[in-house]
Amino acid sequence: MLKIRFVSAFIMIPIVIVATILGDLPFLVFALAGLLLSGWEYFAMARHAGHHPQPIVGLALITLMLLDAHFRWNLLREIVIGGGVVTMTLALFRRAEGWIVGWALTLVGALYLGGTGAYAVLLRASPNNGFWWTATLFLTNWASDAAAYFAGTRLGKHRFFPDVSPKKTREGAIGSWIASTIVGGLCALVFGLPILHGIVAGLGIGVAGAFGDLAESLVKRQFGAKDSGNLIPGHGGMLDRIDSFLFAAVFMYLYLVWFVRV
């Protein structure tokens, strides 16, 4: 399993690096691809659990949220409200049992993926070292995930939110936070960014990523799914791969806006 995880990472990491370097439309397309695949997995899990979401509407909303972030339309409220009206109107024609749950799952799924993923687009587009802060986000998040895996499998004894994700341990979480803090500081040092901000951002990325991972575990548990899919060998689905990144991207962008004054 570990070998398969390394092979998958070896294939995916260059794609992420190239998209981040290019920025602009290539990064938008890269983000859209990952989030739409994740959205498809989310709605598939919901349908498998017996619910009736509207995946086409949900995927359209995810797309619009990312386009809104990239082109700075500032129409997020209109997109969300419009999506809610369209989804409920379509439910009138389908009249599926439990339609209101499907309506809610459609909107929540779009916000969960499109709303959080939009922050990665905003971060990369930042005129103040957007590339370097995005690179810091990816590198720190990867280090955090890797440290959580190794610390958890080798040192883990005490469960961390066992009702949500039985395999997660406190030792794994602490290991990931230590690694993310160190890597965040190193990235700042190498990239010429404020070192103190790099250290604090690194810790925040680790903590936010851990809860992003747990949030996706909670979603899967509600849907009765072990993995979101089987797209990526050794990792599961695309959503399994980016779950921690979603919350970390939100933290990273807001931290820069509020404290680094991007």
Side-chain angles (χ1 to χ4, degrees):
M1 178 63 72
L2 183 58
K3 182 178 179 180
I4 296 175
R5 290 174 68 96
F6 274 124
V7 171
S8 297
F10 183 77
I11 295 172
M12 292 179 61
I13 288 176
I15 298 174
V16 176
I17 292 174
V18 171
T20 304
I21 291 173
L22 294 175
D24 201 40
L25 283 176
F27 188 81
L28 173 64
V29 172
F30 160 75
L32 268 173
L35 289 164
L36 289 177
L37 284 171
S38 299
W40 185 260
E41 293 171 349
Y42 168 89
F43 292 118
M45 287 191 293
R47 290 197 304 269
H48 188 265
H51 303 297
H52 301 280
Q54 298 180 24
I56 300 302
V57 177
L59 295 176
L61 288 174
I62 292 171
T63 302
L64 288 172
M65 288 180 192
L66 263 68
L67 292 176
D68 176 74
H70 179 79
F71 293 107
R72 304 300 176 103
W73 291 338
N74 297 319
L75 294 175
L76 181 60
R77 181 179 63 182
E78 288 77 7
I79 291 170
V80 174
I81 294 175
V85 171
V86 170
T87 308
M88 185 171 284
T89 301
L90 292 175
L92 292 172
F93 294 94
R94 297 182 63 186
R95 295 189 181 90
E97 184 178 353
W99 67 267
I100 196 166
V101 176
W103 174 71
L105 288 173
T106 301
L107 293 181
V108 168
L111 285 171
Y112 170 43
L113 297 168
T116 56
Y119 282 93
V121 175
L122 290 171
L123 178 65
R124 179 60 186 89
S126 170
N128 188 359
N129 293 316
F131 167 71
W132 295 117
W133 283 115
T134 305
T136 298
L137 170 63
F138 277 118
L139 292 171
T140 304
N141 185 250
W142 288 338
S144 177
D145 283 351
Y149 177 80
F150 286 109
T153 54
R154 298 187 180 186
L155 303 174
K157 294 181 180 179
H158 303 90
R159 299 301 174 191
F160 188 55
F161 288 88
D163 293 337
V164 176
S165 184
K167 292 184 179 180
K168 298 289 191 301
T169 64
R170 297 177 190 174
E171 291 81 4
I174 293 172
S176 74
W177 298 340
I178 292 174
S180 65
T181 303
I182 293 173
V183 173
L186 289 175
C187 285
L189 182 65
V190 173
F191 299 155
L193 303 172
I195 295 178
L196 179 60
H197 282 308
I199 293 172
V200 176
L203 175 60
I205 289 169
V207 174
F211 283 97
D213 193 345
L214 287 167
E216 196 240 353
S217 295
L218 183 61
V219 169
K220 290 189 295 186
R221 183 168 288 272
Q222 289 291 305
F223 289 150
K226 182 179 182 295
D227 295 314
S228 67
N230 55 11
L231 179 67
I232 306 174
H235 292 277
M238 179 61 70
L239 183 53
D240 293 317
R241 182 77 285 272
I242 69 170
D243 54 1
S244 61
F245 176 78
L246 294 173
F247 282 22
V250 176
F251 168 81
M252 182 85 261
Y253 181 77
L254 294 180
Y255 179 79
L256 293 184
V257 170
W258 291 342
F259 299 102
V260 189
R261 305 299 182 183
V262 172

